[in-house]
Amino acid sequence: MQTEMKPANRVVNSRLHQVFQLTDLSSLSVSSVGPLFSVAAASAAMVQAAGPAVPIAIVAIAVPFILCSWIFLSLNQHFPSSGASYHWSRRIMGIDYSHFQGWIVIMAYFWSIPPILIPAARFTLGAFGIAHPSALAEIATSIGWATFSALVLLRGARMTALVTQAFLLVEILAVAVMTVIGYASWHRRTPGTATIALYHIHWAGVVACTVIAATIVDGWEIDSYASEEAKKPRLTPGWGGIIGAISVVIYYLLIWPLLLHEVPLAQLATSADALTLWAKTVVPSFVPWMRVSVIASTAGGLWLTTFILSRALFAMARDGNVPSLFGKLNRQRVPFWAIVIPIIISIAVVCMQVIVPSLNALFELVLSAAGFFLVAEFLLDGVNMLYFLVFHHHDIRHSIKAHHHVGMLAAAIIVVIFLASIEIAFLVLGPRDIAPGIDRVIVGLLALGILNVLRLKRRKTAPKTHIFADEPNILGNPLVEIDADC
């Protein structure tokens, strides 16, 4: 098929600034996970499910996620795009499939923002000694953090990286101090703590905990969504994700043994902030710093989750799948409305949660479903890679020994099988271990995604696909349009 390429002004003017280096992408990938925030916020649910066997669940989910980061590296090298998962499926599996994966991406990241805003507000107010804040205080503080996050993002990619690195430094220092103090105090066992005994493990609880753990090991994929903003778009994106995924797992495997060994299990299972609880138990003088570190981790996760969503919406707008408004850039070359609109809607969701108690249960269900869609994104990317290697990549068909594709094929198979099992477990165990009715909410949101695919399929305008190319011989433009079937 003959490919039509045209350097439309609209496309050229939509170029993002290429400013990120590997150090920037790596810091974005680590901070996006928000490891301290994830431990503080999710520890109670994880301990309730698995007891002292939480580290087993983390290792279990870490394996497919690290393999998935390798898959992301390869897909980035072939198809660098700010749309990442959405764009890869468009190039590999086709238009309709990409529309569904685009819906998955929107559900995953938009519904992840309000669950960060509310803890950010509560952690901040708690640091000022307000243990039971009023609804007005929670809303005002949430708006404050949302506004700050929007400003960080709107000031440009370079500013986003610098602020993220400053906040991440606070987090890294806290982990380092906690590790030194915690393991130096290892011989002093706190009454009520627990140890892992393989013959006493509640394996059904470990499976449920693995489902929950899947929601705290994601975020490293942000460097894929930042690939068009990398100085070397076919080289560094993907490596930052691998560094981020491995670093976060190391964080968790350093922190969790300390929590389980030095804090009573019953207190961990009911605590809203396990890390501050650890500091109070082991070294009370470290409590203020730990609170600041958790807040820094939460804030970084907030604007970087919005970053991912904004770049995905930007890519979808270029292809005509969402309103063109989401594709407009400001003077700093970042997608203005793709940042502002999700932030405004997230604030509205938080306000309704806090002000209207009758809606809180519904929103809690929908927000809890974000974890399912985050895992679904990686599952579909595993399918993308599997299909690409088997049906599209000449090396894998012509020479089974070629390059690293045999290992990549094995990784894709493992990712698909394991994450599909996690999704099934999410639907089966979710109503009991996460929230009653969450299975129905997930099925409803998936049905809406299918309806959205049908809506886009019926539109009269021809679909487009934008590709990012750094070859100098393609009309001298980094962004071009190609026919949808290419």
Side-chain angles (χ1 to χ4, degrees), residues 32 65 68 72 85 101 103-113 115-116 211-221 225 305 308 367-381 419 422-423 426:
S32 182
F65 271 57
C68 205
F72 273 52
S85 295
Q101 185 150 357
W103 177 264
I104 295 292
V105 168
I106 292 173
M107 292 296 100
Y109 294 107
F110 173 75
W111 293 114
S112 294
I113 297 174
I116 304 176
V211 172
I212 301 170
T215 67
I216 71 167
V217 189
D218 71 287
W220 49 264
E221 70 279 6
Y225 290 89
T305 301
I308 295 174
L367 298 176
S368 298
F372 177 90
F373 290 99
L374 287 165
V375 176
E377 176 195 358
F378 300 117
L379 170 60
L380 294 180
D381 286 321
L419 295 186
I422 289 293
E423 294 293 67
F426 201 112

Side-chain angles (χ1 to χ4, degrees), residues 156-243:
R158 188 66 195 140
M159 177 61 72
T160 300
L162 291 174
V163 176
T164 298
Q165 288 162 359
F167 277 62
L168 179 61
L169 179 60
V170 175
E171 193 171 0
I172 291 174
L173 290 174
V175 173
V177 172
M178 180 180 180
T179 300
V180 171
I181 295 176
Y183 285 102
S185 308
W186 187 263
H187 61 283
R188 295 181 301 183
R189 191 176 186 86
T190 304
T193 57
T195 57
I196 299 177
L198 293 178
Y199 51 87
H200 281 155
I201 291 177
H202 177 49
W203 289 106
V206 171
V207 172
C209 185
T210 303
V211 172
I212 301 170
T215 67
I216 71 167
V217 189
D218 71 287
W220 49 264
E221 70 279 6
I222 188 173
D223 77 324
S224 297
Y225 290 89
S227 60
E228 287 186 34
E229 294 159 273
K231 289 186 175 182
K232 298 178 180 179
R234 292 185 184 275
L235 180 62
T236 50
W239 285 111
I242 291 175
I243 293 170

Side-chain angles (χ1 to χ4, degrees), residues 138-169:
E138 278 195 18
I139 291 173
T141 310
S142 296
I143 292 174
W145 274 118
T147 303
F148 179 76
S149 298
L151 291 174
V152 169
L153 294 172
L154 292 173
R155 290 296 298 169
R158 188 66 195 140
M159 177 61 72
T160 300
L162 291 174
V163 176
T164 298
Q165 288 162 359
F167 277 62
L168 179 61
L169 179 60

Side-chain angles (χ1 to χ4, degrees), residues 121-122 124-125 130 132-144 354:
R122 290 175 179 170
T124 303
L125 294 168
I130 306 174
H132 303 287
S134 65
L136 181 61
E138 278 195 18
I139 291 173
T141 310
S142 296
I143 292 174
V354 174

Side-chain angles (χ1 to χ4, degrees), residues 312-381:
L313 290 171
F314 171 72
M316 293 178 203
R318 289 187 308 193
D319 292 341
N321 295 341
V322 297
S324 59
L325 185 70
F326 290 103
K328 295 185 181 298
L329 303 182
N330 66 5
R331 292 182 179 179
Q332 282 71 38
R333 290 295 177 195
V334 294
F336 181 86
W337 292 109
I339 293 169
V340 171
I341 290 177
I343 286 286
I344 292 174
I345 298 175
S346 297
I347 291 172
V349 170
V350 168
C351 290
M352 286 188 283
Q353 272 192 278
V354 174
I355 295 174
V356 186
S358 59
L359 292 176
N360 185 58
L362 174 62
F363 279 120
E364 286 290 343
L365 275 176
V366 175
L367 298 176
S368 298
F372 177 90
F373 290 99
L374 287 165
V375 176
E377 176 195 358
F378 300 117
L379 170 60
L380 294 180
D381 286 321

